[in-house]
Amino acid sequence: MSKKIKKTAAIFFFAAFILTSSFAQENPEGHEELTPEELLELENAEEKKEAEKDRLPQELQQNFIIVEGVRVHELNPQVTNYSSDSQLLNGLFEGLFTTSPVTLEPQYAIAKDFKISRDKKRWTITLRDDVYFSNGEKITAESVRDSWLRLLANPNASYSSLLDIVRGAEAFRTGRGNYDEVGIYATAENVLSVYLNSPANYLPRILCHTAFSVTHSDPTVFSGAYELEFVTERKYILKKNPYYWDRNNVTLERITFVQSENADENTWYYNTGAVDWVTTIVNQQQLLDPKAIQINANFGTGFLYFRLTDKKPAGSTSSNLWDYPEFRNAVLEAFPWDTMHKKYLIPATTLVYPLSGYPQIDGFDYTDAIEASLKMKDARQKYGVAQEEIIPLVMHVFENEFSEEDEKLLRQSLEPLGVELTIKTTPSYLYYATIASSDADIVATSWIGDFADPLAFLELFHGGSTMNDSGWKDEAFDGLLEKAATASDTERMNLLGQAENILLDSGMVLPLYRSVSSNVIDLTEVGGWYTNAFDIHPLKYLYKKQPKFNSENIVMR
């Protein structure tokens, strides 16, 4: 989910629904003969009926303007791990499954049905008959296979290791196997067979992620509800894809993303009706309609993590002592948890967002300076480091992550350990691009899970994961993740909880806060926008309920 730029907000009711287990296929009483697709249509019928009452005539649905933060979007869904990219890409690309914007449960997209073999290791997925790319070319099972093989072959694809559950995928991804040995086969024009190493009932959840969208070898061809019409330095215009299978239910003809970091300007444009939705900064006190501010909790955690030596650039002069858990744990004991946690709306003491059925994990919420000193003394003795030697510790964080007082407190907390803390800051829009070349020992990140499961967080520290930016590897941790893949739901949650405990005990992670998001959008004027814990709002569902100020002649700077 990721080196992502996240927004801030807070609400708590998501904890209940994001925890529901796998792809729902059970029918309610009285509908035992309905297929999952028919059931979904039945459940949405009333909602669609109500939406039709509110929807403006089609001639008033010509353009929808979104103001977002400044960022050059990565338009390849297989390599990006920014949530801001995902918000745009969910309109351009689609996969076999997609996440419901309301419940976050998987629902059919390019796929229309699937069957699982008796041993749970073979999935047979049937595609819709009417799915086409934006150039009119039919999307087939072979198209899906080619797309996923391109993902596995791309060394920059952050999420490719999530397909390691597929037979032969890891070997091909790491250069030790051939593409024809990967257990993904087109057994008919619209039938895809996927062979797993072990059962994985969470597969549809993974396949909802943008990275597993169906892509074309031509990057200007798209599989989603929209195609890219125009791009400038700070503007992206999407137009409706005439070949999209569900085009009759896509209302907006065009969607324009405009980028701005000017809070006053963004507020003025929203107040005058020139834009429909603002995802970036505004002056909330100056908004004419405060009810348009949507504050919501996210399925995410902001945290600091240690980077081990093999993840630092060649020639780095930073200390390798932070590769050892004894030194890291001394820092965690001295860290001023109480003061730092008070900075945040929703403090976090653990990495994994608390989910229903997930065991309660003891996290970090108190400081013990005496224990910190004893741990550091023992660590120095064990590894032959003189007690008086000053150990450098470099921290890389977002600009404005900590105040001057915070930074002073952090340095003072570590000084008694003989640790000299240096804090480097970078603007948010540049931050993640600088991590790879940084020699930092500790890095800040804000991560929103990409599917409603603890694995969305724990995979960040899986030894062979392409999402692992820390360099940490632990056989016991990896073993628990692998064992959890074949376990029952309850046992699986317990195993993943044990894995998180190992991670926390290793001193790799310093949890700070639960992510929150803030959007400015008037839901009496815009339909199809739903509050959800991923803060991703599929573009295909959006429509206008009420006319806004005519903004045809307004130029966004």
Side-chain angles (χ1 to χ4, degrees), residues 488-509:
S488 63
D489 289 343
T490 300
E491 183 187 4
R492 179 173 181 272
M493 286 293 190
N494 287 331
L495 291 169
L496 294 178
Q498 293 175 40
E500 183 179 7
N501 270 318
I502 290 174
L503 174 64
L504 297 179
D505 288 345
S506 77
M508 282 296 298
V509 178

Side-chain angles (χ1 to χ4, degrees), residues 336-344 347-349 364-365 511-513:
W337 294 105
D338 186 58
T339 302
M340 301 306 291
H341 278 159
K342 285 179 180 177
K343 289 168 39 67
Y344 304 106
T349 63
F364 302 106
D365 58 4
L512 297 177
Y513 59 88

